[in-house]
């Protein structure tokens, strides 16, 4: 029975097993040959074998079509995946470049801010020193009174204490008729000054005087604790 070994194109073309039938030689059992071969199954196998070439002819072209059509599909999928990966790689490279540029800009900004903070601290320290020096200098100011005694309606004072730029008015003291006074805060040192009596520049000859190129001025010595 060599024809029983003919290969089948599909599993569906194989004859179905007869497992539900009783064995050969039993009541209702299958009919078998002298060699114990099931005649029903052999007949079915012969029928399928006779149809085998036609089945193979019908299936082979389909298998070739599937192979031809599937290959380009797999190639296209691979190309799409490759292109997608390349695009992701480009995006990652661009992102990496942006991150590096941002880090560089932040580093420069940090250095610039540090320099500005250092400069601001130095300026603040300098201002503090100036304020401290000014406060110390102000502490040396001395309250100084200048008095004019004499008959007058208006008495003013001018001197080197402000570069002779202003005329400081003297006020008549209460309870007096001819005594005018003013209090000023001056740094210790020597100053020249002159009274202006009713518009006339006058030096008090009863006080210390100095004569510079024919100009007679009074001299005021201011020392620490002078009043």
């Amino acid at each position: 029975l060599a024809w029983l070994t003919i290969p089948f194109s599909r599993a569906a073309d194989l004859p179905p097993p007869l497992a539900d039938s009783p064995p050969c030689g039993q009541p209702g059992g299958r009919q078998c040959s002298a060699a114990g071969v099931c005649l029903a199954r052999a007949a079915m196998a012969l029928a399928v074998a006779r149809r085998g070439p036609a089945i193979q002819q019908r299936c082979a072209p389909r298998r070739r079509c599937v192979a031809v059509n599937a290959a380009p599909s797999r190639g296209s999928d691979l190309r799409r995946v490759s292109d997608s990966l390349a695009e992701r790689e480009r995006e990652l490279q661009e992102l990496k470049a942006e991150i590096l540029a941002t880090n560089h800009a932040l580093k420069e900004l940090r250095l610039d801010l540090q320099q500005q903070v250092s400069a601001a601290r130095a300026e603040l320290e300098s201002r503090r020193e100036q304020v401290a020096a000014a406060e110390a200098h102000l502490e040396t100011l001395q309250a100084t009174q200048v008095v004019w005694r004499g008959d007058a309606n208006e008495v003013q004072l001018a001197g080197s204490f402000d570069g002779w730029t202003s005329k400081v008015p003297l006020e008549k003291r209460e309870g007096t008729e001819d005594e005018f006074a003013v209090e000023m805060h001056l740094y210790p040192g020597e100053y020249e000054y002159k009274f202006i009596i009713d518009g006339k520049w006058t030096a008090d000859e009863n006080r210390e005087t100095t004569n510079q190129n024919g100009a007679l001025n009074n001299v005021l010595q201011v020392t620490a604790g002078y009043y």
Side-chain angles (χ1 to χ4, degrees), residues 2 14 38 41 46 49 52 56 59 65 91 95 98 101 118 134-135 150 154 156-157 180 192 194-195 201 206 217 219:
L14 292 172
C38 179
R41 185 174 179 84
L46 179 60
Q56 292 180 3
C59 293
C65 290
E91 292 177 356
L95 182 59
E98 291 178 1
S118 299
E135 290 176 348
E154 182 183 32
Q156 295 174 310
L157 183 69
F180 298 82
E192 294 184 16
K194 209 163 190 176
F195 295 99
W201 290 74
N206 296 322
N217 297 323
V219 176

Side-chain angles (χ1 to χ4, degrees), residues 95-175:
L95 182 59
K96 181 178 180 181
E98 291 178 1
I99 292 174
L100 291 176
T102 302
N103 289 337
H104 182 69
L106 289 175
K107 183 178 180 180
E108 291 184 349
L109 180 60
R110 187 182 300 110
L111 292 176
D112 185 55
L113 289 176
Q114 289 177 350
Q115 293 176 356
Q116 292 182 15
V117 170
S118 299
R121 288 177 176 173
E123 180 67 18
L124 179 60
E125 186 63 26
S126 176
R127 294 292 178 87
R128 287 177 176 172
E129 293 177 355
Q130 293 176 6
V131 170
E135 290 176 348
H137 192 55
L138 287 173
E139 291 178 355
T140 64
L141 284 172
Q142 302 298 316
T144 306
Q145 279 192 349
V146 179
V147 180
W148 166 263
R149 294 181 178 88
D151 187 23
N153 293 321
E154 182 183 32
V155 179
Q156 295 174 310
L157 183 69
S160 61
F161 44 79
D162 64 354
W164 303 89
T165 59
S166 63
K167 297 177 180 180
V168 181
L170 279 69
E171 299 293 334
K172 183 181 287 188
R173 285 182 171 177
E174 295 182 1

